[in-house]
């Protein structure tokens, strides 16, 4: 049995990217860190993607997570927004795979369901449940994207060993085997 497992949860975004880290020791969760990256200030999409990649690598190098969990992009009406969000997620995935950290994706509904019991819960409800779960007087960040990143990590812990409708990759070879259509 692993004595401790560190999980990095990421809510990818191009305006704000949230992340949360939890430690799991003997089945007990502790919040290690929660924060957001403010990307609105960067002049273009390429610079934002570069910063997401560098920050994800820095988080991995600082905290040495055993696993990374990401929120999968949701399907919306704005194709350009979906494309940008998918790129942000892809860059975070690439950084994790670059450091050989296994990744797992979760749908927004699955994350909300794991935290609140309601797949249609609001961001405020998710943050409130996490605040209660970790016994926080108030949530330590300005944006709810950070609580979403923490929620992804918690969802991953709750679903460890019972993952059914998620995708998990242990490296580039694993990613390519599960996604042969992405290889050109």
């Amino acid at each position: 049995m692993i004595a401790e497992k560190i999980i990095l949860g990421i809510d990818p975004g191009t305006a704000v990217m949230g992340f949360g880290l939890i430690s799991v020791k003997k089945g007990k969760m502790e919040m290690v860190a929660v924060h957001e990256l403010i990307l609105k200030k960067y002049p273009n999409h390429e610079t934002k993607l570069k910063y997401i990649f560098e920050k994800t690598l820095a988080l991995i190098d600082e905290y040495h997570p055993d696993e990374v969990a990401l929120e999968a992009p949701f399907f919306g009406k704005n194709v350009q927004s979906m494309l940008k969000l998918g790129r942000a997620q892809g860059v975070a995935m690439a950084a994790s795979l670059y450091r050989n950290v296994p990744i797992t994706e979760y749908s927004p509904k699955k994350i909300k369901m794991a935290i609140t019991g309601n797949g249609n819960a609001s961001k405020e409800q998710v943050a409130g449940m996490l605040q209660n779960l970790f016994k926080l007087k108030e949530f330590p960040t300005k944006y709810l994207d950070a609580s979403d990143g923490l929620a992804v990590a918690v969802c991953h812990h709750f679903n460890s060993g019972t993952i059914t409708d998620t995708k998990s990759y242990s490296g580039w070879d694993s990613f390519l085997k599960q996604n042969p259509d992405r290889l050109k």
Side-chain angles (χ1 to χ4, degrees), residues 35-50:
H35 204 40
E36 67 267 334
L37 308 175
I38 309 302
L39 301 164
K40 299 173 192 176
K41 61 186 175 187
Y42 294 101
N44 57 47
H45 190 62
E46 295 78 17
T47 304
K48 292 175 183 183
L49 294 176
K50 179 179 183 281

Side-chain angles (χ1 to χ4, degrees), residues 2 4-10 19-24 56 59-60 63-70 92-93 95-97 99-106 149-150 152-163 166-171:
I2 298 173
E4 178 183 29
K5 179 165 60 169
I6 304 287
I7 302 169
L8 169 60
I10 299 175
F19 68 87
L21 283 127
I22 62 170
S23 167
V24 181
T56 304
L59 287 168
I60 291 168
Y63 293 101
H64 307 286
D66 299 290
E67 299 168 359
V68 171
L70 293 124
M93 290 171 78
S96 302
L97 293 171
R99 291 288 192 251
N100 295 312
V101 180
I103 58 175
T104 305
E105 298 176 80
Y106 294 93
L150 183 62
V152 178
V154 173
C155 172
H156 183 66
H157 168 62
F158 287 167
N159 284 280
S160 291
T162 62
I163 299 167
T166 58
K167 291 186 179 181
S168 184
Y169 315 108
S170 58

Side-chain angles (χ1 to χ4, degrees), residues 26-151:
K26 298 180 182 175
K28 186 177 186 303
M29 277 190 308
E30 282 186 40
M31 184 176 72
V32 175
V34 62
H35 204 40
E36 67 267 334
L37 308 175
I38 309 302
L39 301 164
K40 299 173 192 176
K41 61 186 175 187
Y42 294 101
N44 57 47
H45 190 62
E46 295 78 17
T47 304
K48 292 175 183 183
L49 294 176
K50 179 179 183 281
Y51 187 63
I52 291 168
F53 185 82
E54 290 172 348
K55 187 61 178 180
T56 304
L57 285 179
L59 287 168
I60 291 168
D61 291 345
E62 180 177 352
Y63 293 101
H64 307 286
D66 299 290
E67 299 168 359
V68 171
L70 293 124
E71 182 173 315
F74 58 91
F75 296 100
K77 293 179 182 176
N78 187 328
V79 176
Q80 286 301 316
S81 293
M82 283 178 32
L83 180 61
K84 287 179 179 180
L85 193 58
R87 288 176 179 164
Q89 183 202 28
V91 167
M93 290 171 78
S96 302
L97 293 171
Y98 186 74
R99 291 288 192 251
N100 295 312
V101 180
I103 58 175
T104 305
E105 298 176 80
Y106 294 93
S107 72
K109 276 192 177 289
K110 184 160 183 95
I111 296 164
K112 291 174 182 180
M113 182 62 93
I115 305 304
T116 67
N118 177 0
N120 295 314
S122 69
K123 285 179 172 278
E124 291 80 8
Q125 289 171 313
V126 170
M129 289 298 286
L130 291 170
Q131 190 175 335
N132 188 36
L133 184 67
F134 290 107
K135 297 174 178 56
L136 304 170
K137 288 184 181 179
E138 59 183 42
F139 211 81
T141 60
K142 179 179 178 181
Y143 296 96
L144 292 175
D145 302 84
S147 61
D148 287 349
L150 183 62

